[in-house]
């Protein structure tokens, strides 16, 4: 069944007196359990599309249906609830909270468990990502690649139905790329998590079941 559907998505940015057409009519249909690589040159609209699919940016025109729900018809609170429940974001700028440790950052989204269970769950996922010796480090004490893996742990710890990732392996070496992609693949295969992963990396695309190419804000067929 269809988990994400977009209808004629258009996004214009207004910058210094002129329009930038970041998305120019995107019609995409993504089935449950698909793992989609979103590829295309820099500036082709990948980040913009991911932001809109996750409801953190609004389209100028068009709709995003998630499980049939028109997400931009939701009021702000419902949209926020929807995001927390269903969507895990992995973004380039990982937005880790600097005053919290790696473990605490990963525990932030966990709400339904006791503190003890949340800690166990967060520890397990950090260990899975090879960060067992970094639990009590703050982001500033971690390398870029380690920060990226903490951000990924935080994105997946709540068992989202959908993971939206923007260059998730952008500053990782190939060993860490493999660790991260194996985890994402496992979540995809075992938990049927639907994924859209913007990437420039062919190695990353090879883990995916489909490649969607964007160019100048349009899907190339
Ligand atoms: P990418 O690495 O995917 O090409 P960018 O580095 O171009 O992404 O953009 C990173 C973020 O900066 C975007 O998510 C967007 O919000 C913002 N951004 C990009 N281009 C502009 C711009 N021309 N003006 C303002 N903000 C921008
Ligand atoms: P990609 O992720 O493929 O690099 P983006 O979605 O970041 O592409 O950008 C698509 C286009 O929209 C680019 O021309 C970029 O400069 C522009 N853009 C992105 N974010 C903003 C923003 N916040 N303000 C103005 N222009 C933006």
């Amino acid at each position: 069944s269809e988990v994400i559907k977009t209808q004629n998505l258009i996004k214009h940015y207004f910058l210094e007196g002129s329009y930038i057409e970041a998305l120019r009519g995107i019609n995409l249909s993504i089935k449950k359990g698909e793992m989609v690589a979103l590829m295309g040159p820099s500036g082709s609209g990948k980040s913009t599309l991911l932001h809109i699919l996750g409801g953190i940016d609004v389209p100028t025109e068009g709709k995003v249906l998630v499980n049939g729900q028109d997400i931009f018809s939701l009021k702000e609170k419902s949209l926020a609830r929807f995001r927390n429940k269903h969507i895990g974001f992995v973004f380039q700028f990982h937005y880790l909270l600097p005053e919290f440790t790696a473990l605490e950052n990963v525990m932030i989204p966990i709400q339904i468990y006791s503190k003890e269970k949340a800690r166990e769950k967060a520890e397990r996922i950090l260990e899975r990502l090879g960060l067992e010796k970094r639990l009590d480090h703050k982001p500033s004490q971690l390398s870029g690649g380690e920060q990226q893996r903490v951000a990924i742990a935080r994105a997946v710890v709540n068992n989202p139905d959908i993971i939206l990732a923007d260059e998730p392996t952008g500053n990782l070496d190939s060993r860490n790329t493999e660790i991260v992609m194996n985890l994402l693949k496992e979540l995809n295969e075992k938990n049927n998590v639907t994924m859209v992963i913007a990437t420039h990396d062919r190695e990353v695309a090879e883990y995916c079941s489909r490649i969607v190419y964007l160019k100048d804000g349009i899907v190339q067929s």
Side-chain angles (χ1 to χ4, degrees):
S1 62
E2 221 160 46
V3 63
I4 301 172
K5 187 175 172 62
T6 73
Q7 294 175 346
N8 196 34
L9 272 190
I10 293 175
K11 179 67 178 180
H12 291 168
Y13 290 109
F14 196 61
L15 190 67
E16 290 160 8
S18 64
Y19 286 105
I20 295 169
E21 300 180 295
L23 301 178
R24 301 191 297 146
I26 304 277
N27 294 293
L28 254 188
S29 176
I30 297 173
K31 292 200 176 72
K32 179 135 188 74
E34 273 199 282
M35 187 163 175
V36 175
L38 187 59
M39 301 190 82
S42 207
S44 56
K46 302 182 296 297
S47 302
T48 300
L49 179 57
L50 285 180
H51 291 168
I52 292 175
L53 293 182
I56 57 172
D57 197 358
V58 293
T60 308
E61 274 181 50
K63 283 184 184 169
V64 174
L65 307 177
V66 177
N67 298 321
Q69 165 81 57
D70 175 356
I71 64 170
F72 296 108
S73 72
L74 295 170
K75 297 218 173 70
E76 202 167 317
K77 263 198 180 154
S78 310
L79 182 57
R81 208 175 311 123
F82 158 84
R83 267 198 307 261
N84 286 338
K85 188 151 184 268
H86 296 287
I87 298 191
F89 284 109
V90 183
F91 282 155
Q92 263 169 329
F93 305 102
H94 12 71
Y95 304 118
L96 296 176
L97 299 179
E99 67 275 27
F100 289 102
T101 66
L103 184 65
E104 289 163 345
N105 265 284
V106 176
M107 286 171 66
I108 290 168
I110 309 177
Q111 284 156 356
I112 48 173
Y113 295 93
S114 67
K115 189 112 186 178
E116 203 42 52
K117 280 229 171 97
R119 174 181 297 274
E120 276 171 30
K121 205 162 155 42
E123 276 180 10
R124 215 176 314 129
I125 193 93
L126 283 164
E127 282 165 15
R128 177 77 172 68
L129 287 165
L131 292 166
E132 61 282 348
K133 298 216 170 77
R134 297 286 182 270
L135 302 182
D136 299 321
H137 289 57
K138 294 194 173 158
S140 62
Q141 300 170 303
L142 299 171
S143 71
E146 288 170 337
Q147 290 180 41
Q148 185 71 338
R149 280 180 282 155
V150 174
I152 287 164
R154 189 178 58 185
V156 304
V157 75
N158 239 1
N159 304 324
D161 311 322
I162 299 171
I163 290 176
L164 302 175
D166 199 348
E167 300 284 356
T169 60
N171 42 33
L172 301 181
D173 59 21
S174 46
R175 195 179 65 89
N176 283 314
T177 294
E178 212 173 291
I179 290 174
V180 164
M181 290 313 296
N182 282 333
L183 174 73
L184 292 179
K185 190 76 198 165
E186 187 182 313
L187 292 171
N188 172 250
E189 285 178 347
K190 286 203 181 136
N191 304 358
N192 213 19
V193 179
T194 306
M195 303 197 185
V196 185
I197 304 172
T199 185
H200 284 105
D201 189 344
R202 299 242 142 242
E203 201 183 323
V204 169
E206 275 169 20
Y207 284 84
C208 296
S209 53
R210 169 153 70 119
I211 301 180
V212 169
Y213 289 98
L214 272 191
K215 197 178 175 211
D216 300 331
I218 289 181
V219 175
Q220 308 288 291
S221 46

